[in-house]
Amino acid sequence: MNLLENYSLLPHNTFGMDVYARYFAEYDTVDELADFLQTDLARSHKLLPIGAGSNLLFTGDYDGIVLHSRVRFCTIVGDTPDEVLVRVGSGVVWDDFCDDMCARGFGGIENLSYIPGEIGASAVQNIGAYGVEAKDVIVCVETIETATGQAHTFDAAACDYGYRHSIFKSELQGQHIVTAVTYRLQKKPTLRLDYGNLRDTLSHIAHPTVADVRQAVIDIRRQKLPEPAELGSAGSFFKNPVVPAAQFEALRAQYPTMPHYPAGDAQVKIPAAWLIEQCGWKGKTVGGAAVYDKQPLVLVNKNHATPADVQILAQQIVDSVITKFNIKIDPEANYI
Ligand code: EPU
């Protein structure tokens, strides 16, 4: 266990907040983590497991122990003519895994290419993009229970997955640390190209492969989303709101161009990016924080933003969307 005290979290949050952790602990094996959780130090401090810190907003210094996994392996644990089961350590970089699987021609996660973060967070956040979510390919999630150090395995149904939601973010929040995830991938992939302009982007290729889809997704993401290394952000800062169909119809009468997607059960999903843009926020700033001009769902650290700058900007956006549309948008980024 690599244990550091009063440690800057600047390299561990993509927003680029210069805050400190009282302790920062990195582990290479699951046993190391389980043993550490039984120590007096771990038992007497609050714990925060993080991945690449790509979905976090630190609101100040963290007076506890930030835990980071270096459990890195990727093993094929099942192999049939149609599919492979791949078990991956929580500290593997998500897009390295994606790249590896797409290069081997295994399908299922090509639409999730270039999402920042690590394997552990893919299972906690249920990451999603271009019509695919992590839950579509997750078989099971292995964890260590923080209170006991015991190992557990949750099958996908037990994870209670929903849009950017899992049991690890709700009922079991803070109680389990993900150590490995097993994914089911296809050897004869069915490509999913129906989201947005993905099919158009690939129209020059007669028979696209998963590697082609991966490249198209990377190209689209690069156009719309900031590169974390160049401009700090936490990706989408807000979730897309889901409203009852009747509320949507009333809004549509007033705003006929409002984009929308069916969300099941007489519910309609409305892109928060559109709502935020309509409220005039594109490119606006509060202190060093700004609304990204190419995708207003993303808040960026334009110029040494403080946590307060980001929080004030986010709250002003929420308030203005409520005032104009009577819709409450919720952050996707986790405030710490
Ligand atoms: N839009 C605008 N103005 C803009 C940009 C978008 O009005 O400047 C509207 C358009 O109507 C557009 C719609 O928003 O059709 C949807 O935009 P986009 O395809 O960019 O997707 P999104 O709903 O804004 C979600 C995810 C992204 C994911 C993309 C692609 C959430 C919170 N965000 O964004 O995820 O990459 O779809 O699947 O669901 C992330 O979670 O960090 C993330 C980037």
Side-chain angles (χ1 to χ4, degrees):
M1 178 68 78
N2 182 27
L3 184 67
L4 302 163
E5 204 172 341
N6 295 327
Y7 179 78
S8 169
L9 294 170
L10 194 54
H12 294 278
N13 73 102
T14 57
F15 236 125
M17 294 295 142
D18 193 9
V19 294
Y20 279 73
R22 177 85 173 88
Y23 293 99
F24 182 78
E26 281 188 308
Y27 49 95
D28 294 295
T29 67
V30 176
D31 286 346
E32 236 179 64
L33 171 65
D35 290 346
F36 178 70
L37 291 173
Q38 302 305 310
T39 60
D40 289 342
L41 184 76
R43 284 174 174 278
S44 57
H45 288 80
K46 57 182 182 174
L47 305 172
L48 175 69
I50 63 165
S54 53
N55 225 336
L56 300 178
L57 176 64
F58 284 107
T59 55
D61 291 342
Y62 187 74
D63 189 24
I65 305 171
V66 172
L67 288 159
H68 183 236
S69 169
R70 286 194 305 215
V71 179
R72 294 183 186 132
F73 62 84
C74 179
T75 316
I76 293 189
V77 293
D79 195 346
T80 71
D82 294 327
E83 60 188 34
V84 284
L85 299 184
V86 193
R87 181 169 173 258
V88 194
S90 54
V92 170
V93 171
W94 169 263
D95 196 52
D96 290 350
F97 171 57
C98 252
D99 189 26
D100 186 10
M101 295 300 113
C102 290
R104 298 195 212 186
F106 298 154
I109 53 173
E110 58 282 2
N111 294 33
L112 304 179
S113 291
Y114 217 53
I115 293 182
E118 295 172 1
I119 291 292
S122 78
V124 174
Q125 287 289 115
N126 185 23
I127 57 174
Y130 307 101
V132 174
E133 290 178 293
K135 74 172 173 59
D136 303 336
V137 288
I138 288 178
V139 177
C140 64
V141 178
E142 293 166 59
T143 69
I144 291 287
E145 192 174 358
T146 43
T148 61
Q150 290 293 306
H152 293 259
T153 301
F154 293 76
D155 63 21
C159 296
D160 191 27
Y161 281 126
Y163 170 57
R164 300 293 196 274
H165 175 273
S166 76
I167 199 162
F168 308 111
K169 293 180 75 173
S170 49
E171 285 135 79
L172 297 184
Q173 187 173 27
Q175 295 180 38
H176 287 259
I177 298 175
V178 175
T179 52
V181 183
T182 300
Y183 305 89
R184 176 181 280 113
L185 302 179
Q186 307 302 318
K187 286 187 177 173
K188 298 165 194 159
T190 307
L191 302 181
R192 276 139 314 158
L193 307 178
D194 289 331
Y195 185 96
N197 57 348
L198 194 50
R199 195 179 293 280
D200 288 349
T201 310
L202 284 158
S203 58
H204 61 290
I205 303 175
H207 300 290
T209 62
V210 289
D212 295 326
V213 177
R214 170 173 166 78
Q215 192 54 53
V217 167
I218 291 174
D219 293 344
I220 295 170
R221 288 186 72 96
R222 280 196 173 136
Q223 282 162 25
K224 283 193 184 178
L225 299 168
E227 295 279 344
E230 287 160 23
L231 186 61
S233 85
S236 299
F237 194 89
F238 299 100
K239 292 193 270 199
N240 288 325
V242 174
V243 301
Q247 185 183 354
F248 168 71
E249 288 307 334
L251 281 164
R252 180 151 67 170
Q254 213 180 338
Y255 304 99
T257 60
M258 182 180 268
H260 58 282
Y261 311 98
D265 230 10
Q267 304 271 305
V268 178
K269 189 181 271 190
I270 301 170
W274 188 87
L275 299 170
I276 296 168
E277 183 170 356
Q278 295 300 307
C279 291
W281 281 105
K282 253 188 178 178
K284 292 274 166 64
T285 60
V286 166
V291 180
Y292 194 48
D293 44 10
K294 293 183 207 150
Q295 170 43 295
L297 198 52
V298 178
L299 305 187
V300 294
N301 182 351
K302 198 171 176 187
N303 187 16
H304 305 289
T306 63
D309 293 341
V310 182
Q311 279 178 288
I312 292 167
L313 177 58
Q315 193 55 53
Q316 289 181 357
I317 292 170
V318 171
D319 292 346
S320 69
V321 171
I322 290 177
T323 303
K324 191 171 170 71
F325 297 105
N326 196 24
I327 294 176
K328 182 169 179 299
I329 54 172
D330 292 319
E332 178 188 339
N334 298 305
Y335 285 62
I336 306 293

